[in-house]
C-alpha cells in the first residue's frame, strides 16, 4: 500500500477529473512518458543548454524567424488564426502570460508572437516531449524550458488509491516513484537561474500562470505567483494574452490570440507578498477581461476533431 502523505488534491484548487477509463489510461501514459529515456535525455539537454547560455551569453539555436515560419506553416495548415492587437507588444523583453486550454497553446504562440526579441516558453516537460514528432520539432526549434509537474489525472489516481481503489495502487505507486514533481529546492533554483539568465540576455519568456489546463473556454483559473515574481525581480512588463477557441479543436477552426495592454512594473529584487498579490490581481483581471464573456463553440461540421484534440497531447 502507498504510504500516507499530505494529500496532493489539497494543493489542486480545481476539482479532479472523473476517474474514468480515459483518466486512468492518461495517468498510465504519463508514467510511461516519465520513464522514456529519449524524452528524459532531451529534457536534460534543453535545461543544460539554457544553463550554459547563462555563462556563454548565447544558445545554440535557429533564428526566431525560422522557428516562427516553420511552426506557422504547421498551425496555419490545420487552423485559421487571428491575432488581435499585436501592436501592443513592446519591442523590448517582456513576460508573456497566457491562459491555457490545450496542449496546442505553446505551439500556437510560438507560431504567432514576434520573432524578436527571441522568447522562450515554459511548458510541461512530458507533453512537450512525449512523441517523436514533437521531439524532432523542438530539437529543431529550441527555446523551450521544460517543467516537471504532476498531471491532474495522476493526482486523481493517487487519491483514488488512497481511498480504497485497490486496482489502482500499483499505478499510483509508479506515479509516486517515477513522475518528477518539479518542486525540489534544486529544481526551483535551477529554473530561477535560467529565467534570470534569459532576461539578462534581453530576451523574453512566455508562460501559463494558471499552472494547468483550464476546463472551460472564457473561464480563468486562479493564477500562480511565479510569473509575477519573475517579472518584478527583472522589471520587465507583463503582456497578458487570451487564447480563444483552443479547448476543442477541429480542422480549419478559428483560433484567436488576443493581446492585452502591457502591465508596467518597477524592478524589485525582493518583492513583498502584498506587492505580489496586487500584481496577481491586476493580471487576473486583465486576462479575464480579454476573454469573451459568452463563448459559443461553432455549430459547423468538426472534421478530424478527435485526431486534432489528441495530436498535441
Amino acid at each position: 500500500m502507498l504510504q500516507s502523505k499530505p494529500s496532493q488534491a489539497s494543493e489542486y484548487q480545481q476539482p479532479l477529473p472523473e476517474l474514468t477509463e480515459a483518466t486512468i489510461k492518461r495517468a498510465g501514459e504519463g508514467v510511461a512518458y516519465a520513464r522514456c529515456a529519449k524524452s528524459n535525455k532531451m529534457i536534460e539537454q534543453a535545461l543544460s543548454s539554457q544553463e550554459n547560455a547563462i555563462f556563454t551569453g548565447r544558445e545554440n539555436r535557429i533564428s526566431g524567424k525560422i522557428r516562427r515560419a516553420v511552426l506557422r506553416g504547421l498551425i496555419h495548415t490545420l487552423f485559421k488564426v487571428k491575432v488581435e492587437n499585436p501592436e501592443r507588444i513592446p519591442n523590448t523583453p517582456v513576460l508573456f502570460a497566457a491562459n491555457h486550454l490545450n496542449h496546442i497553446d505553446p505551439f500556437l504562440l510560438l507560431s504567432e508572437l514576434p520573432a524578436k526579441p527571441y522568447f522562450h516558453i515554459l511548458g510541461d516537460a512530458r507533453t512537450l516531449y512525449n512523441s517523436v514528432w514533437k521531439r524532432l520539432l523542438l530539437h529543431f526549434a529550441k527555446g523551450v524550458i521544460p517543467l516537471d509537474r504532476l498531471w491532474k489525472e495522476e493526482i486523481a489516481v493517487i487519491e483514488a488509491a488512497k481511498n480504497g481503489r485497490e486496482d489502482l495502487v500499483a499505478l499510483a505507486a509508479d506515479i509516486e516513484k517515477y513522475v518528477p514533481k518539479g518542486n525540489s529546492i534544486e529544481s526551483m533554483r535551477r529554473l530561477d537561474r535560467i529565467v534570470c539568465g534569459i532576461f539578462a540576455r534581453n530576451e523574453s519568456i512566455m508562460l501559463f500562470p494558471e499552472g494547468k489546463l483550464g476546463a472551460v473556454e472564457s473561464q480563468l483559473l486562479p493564477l500562480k505567483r511565479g510569473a509575477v515574481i519573475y517579472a518584478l525581480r527583472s522589471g520587465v512588463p507583463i503582456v497578458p494574452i487570451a487564447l480563444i477557441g483552443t479547448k476543442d479543436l477541429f480542422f480549419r477552426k478559428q483560433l484567436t490570440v488576443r493581446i492585452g495592454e502591457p502591465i508596467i512594473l518597477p524592478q524589485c529584487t525582493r518583492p513583498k507578498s502584498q506587492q505580489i498579490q496586487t500584481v496577481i490581481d491586476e493580471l487576473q483581471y486583465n486576462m479575464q477581461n480579454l476573454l469573451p464573456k459568452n463563448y459559443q463553440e461553432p455549430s459547423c461540421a468538426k472534421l478530424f476533431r478527435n485526431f486534432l484534440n489528441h495530436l498535441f497531447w
Side-chain angles (χ1 to χ4, degrees):
M1 294 292 290
L2 293 173
Q3 295 180 354
S4 176
K5 295 181 179 180
S7 172
Q8 301 278 3
S10 64
E11 300 177 4
Y12 193 85
Q13 297 178 345
Q14 301 299 312
L16 293 175
E18 183 181 353
L19 203 64
T20 63
E21 281 189 27
T23 302
I24 297 170
K25 179 183 178 183
R26 181 66 172 158
E29 290 172 348
V31 174
Y33 299 150
R35 301 182 69 181
C36 175
K38 290 182 179 179
S39 294
N40 288 332
K41 182 178 179 180
M42 286 198 67
I43 290 167
E44 180 55 35
Q45 286 176 341
L47 292 170
S48 295
S49 176
Q50 291 282 357
E51 284 191 303
N52 290 337
I54 296 172
F55 303 103
T56 63
R58 58 186 178 85
E59 184 184 11
N60 183 22
R61 67 194 188 203
I62 61 169
S63 76
K65 288 183 178 180
I66 295 174
R67 179 180 70 174
R68 184 177 61 177
V70 170
L71 286 164
R72 183 171 288 187
L74 169 66
I75 297 296
H76 285 220
T77 298
L78 299 174
F79 309 101
K80 301 174 186 177
V81 181
K82 179 169 67 171
V83 179
E84 297 181 357
N85 311 315
E87 71 282 357
R88 291 176 171 174
I89 300 176
N91 57 5
T92 56
V94 300
L95 189 147
F96 296 105
N99 62 313
H100 198 12
L101 294 165
N102 192 299
H103 295 304
I104 192 179
D105 295 343
F107 298 96
L108 174 62
L109 290 165
L110 285 167
S111 78
E112 302 305 318
L113 292 179
K116 191 174 180 179
Y118 190 92
F119 76 92
H120 306 253
I121 195 158
L122 275 71
D124 178 65
R126 286 179 292 156
T127 50
L128 286 170
Y129 293 94
N130 63 2
S131 64
V132 174
W133 77 266
K134 286 186 195 175
R135 290 196 289 268
L136 288 173
L137 184 62
L138 293 174
H139 180 72
F140 165 78
K142 298 294 197 307
V144 170
I145 306 169
L147 304 177
D148 290 322
R149 66 176 181 85
L150 277 173
W151 293 352
K152 58 184 183 295
E153 294 89 352
E154 293 166 336
I155 299 172
V157 166
I158 291 172
E159 292 302 308
K162 290 177 179 178
N163 288 289
R165 282 289 299 267
E166 294 291 335
D167 58 315
L168 297 178
V169 168
L171 176 56
D174 283 345
I175 293 169
E176 297 274 19
K177 181 177 180 181
Y178 296 111
V179 176
K181 311 301 186 297
N183 57 359
S184 69
I185 296 297
E186 181 182 353
S187 63
M188 296 301 293
R189 286 177 176 170
R190 188 181 200 185
L191 179 60
D192 285 345
R193 288 195 301 270
I194 289 171
V195 169
C196 290
I198 289 169
F199 286 133
R201 298 195 300 275
N202 292 318
E203 296 177 343
S204 297
I205 287 179
M206 170 74 236
L207 51 71
F208 303 100
E210 292 169 287
K212 58 183 74 69
L213 291 179
V216 183
E217 290 271 4
S218 302
Q219 293 184 17
L220 197 63
L221 301 176
L223 305 186
K224 307 291 187 183
R225 293 160 50 92
V228 168
I229 292 173
Y230 291 143
L232 283 169
R233 285 178 179 171
S234 62
V236 301
I238 301 177
V239 177
I241 296 177
L243 299 178
I244 303 165
T246 65
K247 186 61 183 178
D248 186 28
L249 301 176
F250 54 86
F251 185 60
R252 303 307 293 163
K253 185 182 184 182
Q254 175 75 64
L255 308 180
T256 300
V257 180
R258 183 174 293 163
I259 313 298
E261 293 284 358
I263 300 173
I264 308 301
L265 302 171
Q267 185 173 12
C268 181
T269 54
R270 293 187 177 182
K272 299 185 183 301
S273 295
Q274 184 56 52
Q275 184 181 12
I276 294 168
Q277 189 59 52
T278 298
V279 181
I280 289 174
D281 292 343
E282 182 179 1
L283 178 59
Q284 180 106 24
Y285 177 82
N286 289 3
M287 289 177 67
Q288 186 65 62
N289 279 351
L290 289 172
L291 295 169
K293 298 296 185 289
N294 296 295
Y295 178 83
Q296 296 292 326
E297 282 288 344
S299 57
C300 58
K302 299 182 178 180
L303 300 176
F304 308 117
R305 180 185 185 187
N306 186 62
F307 169 74
L308 289 172
N309 278 313
H310 290 80
L311 177 63
F312 295 91
W313 272 24

